[in-house]
Amino acid sequence: MKIWKSVVGKLWITILLLVSFVLFVLTIFMLEFIENYHVGQTEDQLKKLANKVSSIIESHEDKELARSITWELADDLTSILIVENEKKYWVSPNESENTLDFDLDDIKQDPVLSLVLTEHKAGSRKAYLTDEDERMMNGEKEVVVVGVPYKLADGKYGSVYIAQSLKAVHETTKHTTKYIIIAAGIAIVLTTIFAFFLITRITNPLRKMKEVAHELSEGKFDTKVPILSNDEIGELGIAFNKMAKQLKFNINALNQEKGHLSSILSSMADGVITLKIDGTILITNPPAEKFLHAWYYERGMKAETAEELPPEVYNLFQQVIDAGSEKEQTVEISLQGRSWVLVMSPLYNESNISGAVAVLRDMTEERKLEKLRTDFIANVSHELRTPIAMLQGYSEAIVDDIASTDEERKEITQIIYDESLRMGRLVNDLLDLARMQAGHITLNYEKIFVPEFVEKINRKFQGLAKDKQISLTTSLALEEEVYPLDPDRIEQVLTNLIDNAIRHTEEEGQVNVKVQSIKDGLLFHVQDTGSGIREEDLPFVFERFYKADKARTRGGSGTGLGLGIAKSIIDAHGGSITVNSKLGEGTTFTFFLPRKEMDCEEV
């Protein structure tokens, strides 16, 4: 920083100018006083000399002798003019080039000095010689002229004028001015030294405070200002340190509060978007960023540079700002296959609206569950409607005696019985599935000899396979043959999968059940060469009541719950089940059972 822009420079220049101005004024007044003093002394001396000359002239009868004595009183800077009347006057001889030369005409022209001639009163005058011929050789043109009257023998009055150059006075003034200037210079130097010393004492703590202020701006709140004195600057330093301590406390409190708010926002399952009054995004949390990134991706925008809001969100923001009330606004947005519910309310700064805050909730699962509930009711109603209608119709036929023979009545009764069994299976499957999905399933683990268990299930379906001319085979690749599991539940799963495989495989087809040991448990494969499942139906085969097509039902008796029950049983064992299929080539269901490290016990 340039010195004249700093506090030191400004204070130094101010003090220097003040001292210089005071010295200048004092010098002028002092020189004026000295000059006036010397001029006054000169006038007094000239008046005494003039009175002496007039006394000499009055006391001597020999006027020539008196004038000779008078001329002896004059020096190089003094001239004497003796006037008897307007025609008769004498001037002291001019023996030096520096001696002033003036005559009676000069006296008559001066209004003060001429009074000595006319009114016989003494007078003095400081005059300036205007005529170049009247100037002395040294260029001096300022003189002092004193005039006094004297009495002649005939009772008349003459005048004596003595003029003296102020050269001696001016010479004295010059010497005095030189000494004053030297003294002023010394005073300015001493003032500069004193000013820098004083200013340094004042500004050093200020510079320290400036350095500490810079460090505080960089976050170094532990820096303190050194206290070097007990005056006002020391008190300022103490106050500055207290301010820094309080600032550190407030900043830490703000950072803690900001950290808490950031942690809360980051941990929220719902998205939060805070908007400024102009609609620009101020704060978002991860779920909200996920929503915005999905919208940017759908629009082909770069998420790093995009700041635009979805139109639905912006329109809702305008409604909130325009409404100017505390009532919240809600909208539901579908984006990238997910459903988002957005609730927005105004954000106030005291009494003015400063923006808005929006809360985003991913309602995909809820909407999916709502759809599943709706589909469940529709599917149950659909599944129950047919057997109930058949029970009602055939019951009315019996009541109305439509069946005329015992064989017809027996046939109707058999249909009623079959439909009641179908309704019972549907209700039992629904109850089982509901208990399993609610976590109320009970697994009875036993140590099972796996080859015998698989062979038992194979024999169970050999009759059905032979009826359809399908080859049902099993293959085992086991490291241990005894394995803990719930035999009834796993048999239920295998029964469902094998039954589906046989019923959806054409004649001369093959169904293979494969069991193998892997690192953490058992892996079961049920593979068929049947009609397969369409690719778009594969993600939904384990949902309740889902049927890919009519060809995959059991002759109209299937409920669509078997695979859902199978998945619930496998999930209860802590395993997983998957399906792979190609249309027209066959299907493979695979499920994994993790090892259970316990003996026979209930879970």
Side-chain angles (χ1 to χ4, degrees):
M1 180 183 292
K2 296 180 179 179
I3 190 170
W4 56 84
K5 292 184 178 180
S6 65
V7 176
V8 175
K10 292 177 180 178
L11 288 176
W12 174 66
I13 292 174
T14 301
I15 294 174
L16 196 61
L17 289 176
L18 179 62
V19 171
S20 299
F21 176 76
V22 171
L23 289 175
F24 176 74
V25 172
L26 288 176
T27 300
I28 291 175
F29 280 108
M30 187 175 293
L31 291 176
E32 186 69 21
F33 169 77
I34 292 172
E35 184 174 355
N36 291 335
Y37 174 77
H38 285 292
V39 170
Q41 292 291 324
T42 302
E43 287 182 356
D44 292 341
Q45 291 175 1
L46 292 179
K47 285 179 180 179
K48 291 179 180 180
L49 181 61
N51 289 328
K52 184 183 291 186
V53 170
S54 63
S55 298
I56 293 173
I57 296 175
E58 288 178 354
S59 59
H60 286 76
E61 295 180 358
D62 187 354
K63 302 300 180 183
E64 185 70 25
L65 177 62
R67 287 194 294 272
S68 299
I69 297 172
T70 299
W71 302 147
E72 295 296 330
L73 297 177
D75 56 20
D76 292 343
L77 298 178
T78 305
S79 296
I80 300 175
L81 174 64
I82 299 174
V83 180
E84 186 173 327
N85 53 50
E86 293 183 358
K87 295 181 180 180
K88 195 174 182 180
Y89 60 90
W90 296 269
V91 180
S92 61
N94 187 4
E95 298 178 356
S96 173
E97 293 180 353
N98 293 329
T99 304
L100 182 64
D101 184 17
F102 74 106
D103 54 16
L104 186 60
D105 293 335
D106 295 326
I107 301 300
K108 291 179 179 180
Q109 292 176 2
D110 191 282
V112 176
L113 297 177
S114 62
L115 293 177
V116 180
L117 293 174
T118 58
E119 297 182 5
H120 313 300
K121 293 181 179 180
S124 61
R125 174 81 171 180
K126 183 170 70 172
Y128 293 89
L129 299 178
T130 56
D131 192 352
E132 291 291 334
D133 295 336
E134 295 177 348
R135 291 187 184 179
M136 301 172 67
M137 292 295 292
N138 57 2
E140 184 64 50
K141 62 179 181 180
E142 190 173 8
V143 297
V144 175
V145 181
V146 175
V148 295
Y150 70 92
K151 193 173 183 179
L152 298 174
D154 55 4
K156 295 182 179 180
Y157 288 90
S159 301
V160 175
Y161 293 94
I162 299 177
Q164 187 176 42
S165 172
L166 292 180
K167 178 181 179 182
V169 174
H170 290 166
E171 289 290 337
T172 303
T173 303
K174 287 180 181 179
H175 287 292
T176 305
T177 303
K178 180 175 71 173
Y179 292 131
I180 290 175
I181 291 174
I182 294 173
I186 294 172
I188 290 175
V189 172
L190 293 177
T191 301
T192 300
I193 296 172
F194 171 75
F196 271 104
F197 173 75
L198 178 63
I199 293 168
T200 302
R201 294 274 296 179
I202 296 174
T203 57
N204 270 342
L206 297 179
R207 284 198 295 268
K208 292 291 183 182
M209 291 182 191
K210 182 189 74 171
E211 295 172 1
V212 172
H214 282 301
E215 293 184 0
L216 289 179
S217 66
E218 296 174 357
K220 300 176 182 178
F221 298 107
D222 293 327
T223 308
K224 292 185 178 180
V225 176
I227 308 303
L228 303 176
S229 61
N230 296 322
D231 54 7
E232 290 83 353
I233 295 178
E235 293 177 358
L236 177 62
I238 294 172
F240 196 91
N241 290 336
K242 289 182 179 179
M243 180 195 70
K245 183 178 180 180
Q246 187 64 33
L247 183 63
K248 178 182 178 181
F249 175 79
N250 292 335
I251 292 295
N252 289 337
L254 289 174
N255 287 335
Q256 288 180 0
E257 184 176 353
K258 181 180 178 181
H260 291 160
L261 290 175
S262 179
S263 299
I264 291 171
L265 285 175
S266 300
S267 302
M268 287 179 64
D270 296 338
V272 177
I273 302 176
T274 305
L275 304 173
K276 297 180 183 178
I277 191 65
D278 57 358
T280 57
I281 298 174
L282 182 62
I283 298 174
T284 59
N285 67 341
E289 292 174 0
K290 179 181 177 182
F291 166 79
L292 293 174
H293 287 177
W295 188 79
Y296 295 147
Y297 176 79
E298 192 174 77
R299 298 297 188 277
M301 302 165 63
K302 290 185 178 180
E304 293 79 7
T305 58
E307 295 183 356
E308 184 180 356
L309 285 174
E312 299 88 345
V313 179
Y314 187 77
N315 293 336
L316 193 67
F317 171 75
Q318 291 296 333
Q319 294 177 16
V320 169
I321 297 300
D322 295 340
S325 64
E326 296 182 0
K327 186 176 180 181
E328 60 188 24
Q329 303 289 334
T330 306
V331 69
E332 186 165 345
I333 302 173
S334 295
L335 187 65
Q336 292 286 303
R338 306 193 71 82
S339 296
W340 299 83
V341 172
L342 187 144
V343 180
M344 186 177 293
S345 57
L347 191 63
Y348 285 90
N349 182 9
E350 296 180 353
S351 60
N352 299 321
I353 296 179
S354 60
V357 59
V359 178
L360 284 159
R361 174 165 292 179
D362 189 351
M363 300 293 290
T364 305
E365 295 300 325
E366 286 80 356
R367 296 294 180 262
K368 184 178 179 181
L369 291 175
E370 289 177 5
K371 186 176 183 303
L372 287 175
R373 283 194 292 270
T374 303
D375 293 344
F376 175 76
I377 294 172
N379 289 330
V380 169
S381 300
H382 177 74
E383 293 291 337
L384 291 176
R385 182 175 58 184
T386 300
I388 288 174
M390 294 184 70
L391 288 173
Q392 182 180 356
Y394 284 108
S395 298
E396 290 176 355
I398 294 175
V399 172
D400 295 337
D401 290 330
I402 294 177
S404 58
T405 63
D406 292 337
E407 292 181 359
E408 290 178 350
R409 280 194 293 271
K410 185 177 180 180
E411 182 181 356
I412 292 174
T413 304
Q414 183 64 42
I415 293 173
I416 292 174
Y417 177 72
D418 291 339
E419 292 301 322
S420 65
L421 291 177
R422 182 180 175 190
M423 288 181 63
R425 288 195 304 271
L426 175 61
V427 172
N428 289 331
D429 287 347
L430 286 173
L431 291 174
D432 289 342
L433 185 59
R435 283 196 299 269
M436 292 175 185
Q437 292 186 341
H440 297 157
I441 183 173
T442 300
L443 300 179
N444 298 314
Y445 280 88
E446 299 178 12
K447 285 188 176 181
I448 301 301
F449 188 66
V450 177
E452 182 180 342
F453 175 73
V454 175
E455 182 61 26
K456 173 186 172 184
I457 296 174
N458 182 40
R459 289 195 305 269
K460 180 178 177 180
F461 285 96
Q462 282 298 329
L464 181 60
K466 286 180 180 180
D467 290 342
K468 293 198 65 174
Q469 299 181 7
I470 294 173
S471 173
L472 176 59
T473 60
T474 60
S475 59
L476 303 174
L478 301 173
E479 296 180 0
E480 339 181 18
E481 296 182 340
V482 177
Y483 196 85
L485 51 82
D486 186 335
D488 292 335
R489 295 297 185 180
I490 299 303
E491 182 177 350
Q492 185 179 359
V493 174
L494 289 172
T495 297
N496 183 281
L497 296 179
I498 295 172
D499 184 66
N500 280 343
I502 292 174
R503 292 185 181 279
H504 302 303
T505 301
E506 301 296 331
E507 294 182 357
E508 305 299 332
Q510 295 180 358
V511 175
N512 181 45
V513 179
K514 181 181 179 181
V515 184
Q516 66 181 99
S517 295
I518 59 175
K519 180 180 180 181
D520 298 321
L522 287 179
L523 198 62
F524 290 78
H525 302 276
V526 179
Q527 184 177 7
D528 65 61
T529 58
S531 57
I533 304 172
R534 290 181 301 180
E535 183 177 352
E536 58 269 23
D537 293 327
L538 285 175
F540 309 103
V541 295
F542 296 107
E543 293 185 4
R544 292 172 295 183
F545 297 109
Y546 189 83
K547 300 176 184 179
D549 52 49
K550 293 182 180 180
R552 296 196 63 82
T553 64
R554 300 174 186 169
S557 62
T559 61
L561 297 174
L563 291 177
I565 293 173
K567 186 176 186 303
S568 297
I569 292 173
I570 299 302
D571 289 342
H573 278 79
S576 61
I577 184 169
T578 59
V579 59
N580 293 293
S581 180
K582 287 186 179 180
L583 197 62
E585 296 183 10
T587 303
T588 300
F589 281 89
T590 302
F591 65 91
F592 167 71
L593 296 178
R595 176 173 295 281
K596 192 74 173 179
E597 296 295 340
M598 60 175 60
D599 293 331
C600 301
E601 62 180 83
E602 286 190 358
V603 177

